[in-house]
Structures are given as C-alpha cells and as structure tokens.
Amino acid sequence: MRKLTSITTIRAAWIGAMMLLLAACSPKSTLELALDDLSARFVAANQADTIDPMLKLYCLNGCDSLIISRLKGALDYELGLPIQQIEFEALSGAAEETIEFTHNGVSYGPSLTPRYRMRVLYAVEDHFSSLFTVGQNPSGEWQIICAKPKPPIRY
C-alpha cells in the first residue's frame, strides 16, 4: 500500500509538472504579439540617433505644432536612456486615464481611442519611468496617443 501511494504521488507530481509546462508554452494571443511588437519598435526607436523613429510610433494625425513641439522636447530628454522593462496594462476608464483638457481656449482630446497604458521603466539610478497611453489605429497598428485639438462645437 505504501508503494502504491508513492507511485501515485510521483505520477500526480509528474502530470502536474507537464500541465504547467504546457500552460507556460501556450502561444501568445494576437493582442500580446501586437503589444510586443510595439515594445520592440519602442526599444529600437529609443536607440536611434534622432527622435524621428520615435515620432513615428505616435499617432500625430490632427496634432498641432504646439503639441508636436512639446512632444519633441520630452522625447529628446528620454532618447537613449537604457530601458529595463516595458509593461502594458488595460485602462480602467478612470478620469485620469483620459486625454481631455483645454489650453488657451482650445479643447484637446486623444488622437486615438485610449486602450492600454504602456509603462517604460528605465535602467537608471533613480528608477525613472514614463507612462504612455496607446491605442489601435484604423489599420490595426498600435501607436502611442497624443493630444489633438478637438473641432469646435458648431451650433
């Protein structure tokens, strides 16, 4: 009886280990692959000599020169910082996750519908990180969202 219990325990452990191995080897979803692609493009753009490859990751459709100028300044500061990790998390719909504001009488909104937050952790002494909001453009590519002027309300 004691031998049977040992064999049963070993068999159960082996089956459990195989199930974990199979679960760990499951293919990534299309969404995960697309976000991994955005991560890889971000890392490559971060290592570029200019900010142009990084700007291509942004959906700039409808953005004004003020927003693009401010974006270039922020990107220039972070360009080339060593990246430790990039994480994605779904947005909850909280007010602070939206891109809605008014500046000098102009109302701004997102250049794409916000879907995920991308957190970039840099491998620097002060553990600096940046948050980006990402969305999917009409062709299905994931891009970083920026603010664009909303069309004026016509009565």
Side-chain angles (χ1 to χ4, degrees):
M1 188 80 155
R2 191 122 169 105
K3 252 187 189 179
L4 186 57
T5 304
S6 296
I7 291 172
T8 305
T9 303
I10 291 170
R11 182 180 295 156
W14 186 81
I15 291 171
M18 288 297 109
M19 289 176 65
L20 285 174
L21 182 63
L22 287 173
C25 294
S26 65
K28 288 187 172 187
S29 70
T30 304
L31 172 64
E32 290 171 317
L33 290 172
L35 293 175
D36 284 351
D37 178 63
L38 177 59
S39 292
R41 290 185 292 132
F42 188 92
V43 169
N46 182 60
Q47 296 169 355
D49 293 331
T50 68
I51 62 170
D52 293 333
M54 189 64 79
L55 283 172
K56 290 179 182 175
L57 298 179
Y58 283 79
C59 180
L60 298 174
N61 299 341
C63 294
D64 62 17
S65 58
L66 174 66
I67 292 294
I68 294 172
S69 175
R70 288 182 176 173
L71 176 60
K72 285 179 178 181
L75 293 176
D76 199 38
Y77 172 75
E78 294 182 26
L79 191 69
L81 289 177
I83 295 174
Q84 177 180 333
Q85 185 176 358
I86 297 177
E87 304 169 340
F88 291 93
E89 57 188 64
L91 298 179
S92 67
E96 64 270 10
E97 295 173 342
T98 64
I99 299 173
E100 301 282 340
F101 63 93
T102 301
H103 179 71
N104 289 336
V106 178
S107 295
Y108 289 85
S111 58
L112 293 171
T113 302
R115 297 273 309 277
Y116 286 88
R117 177 181 296 124
M118 180 173 81
R119 182 182 309 271
V120 178
L121 306 164
Y122 293 99
V124 292
E125 189 174 315
D126 64 352
H127 305 289
F128 176 70
S129 67
S130 285
L131 294 175
F132 301 88
T133 303
V134 300
Q136 209 167 18
N137 67 23
S139 63
E141 182 182 37
W142 288 92
Q143 289 187 288
I144 301 171
I145 297 171
C146 61
K148 71 176 187 176
K150 289 181 173 181
I153 297 174
R154 302 199 187 264
Y155 296 101

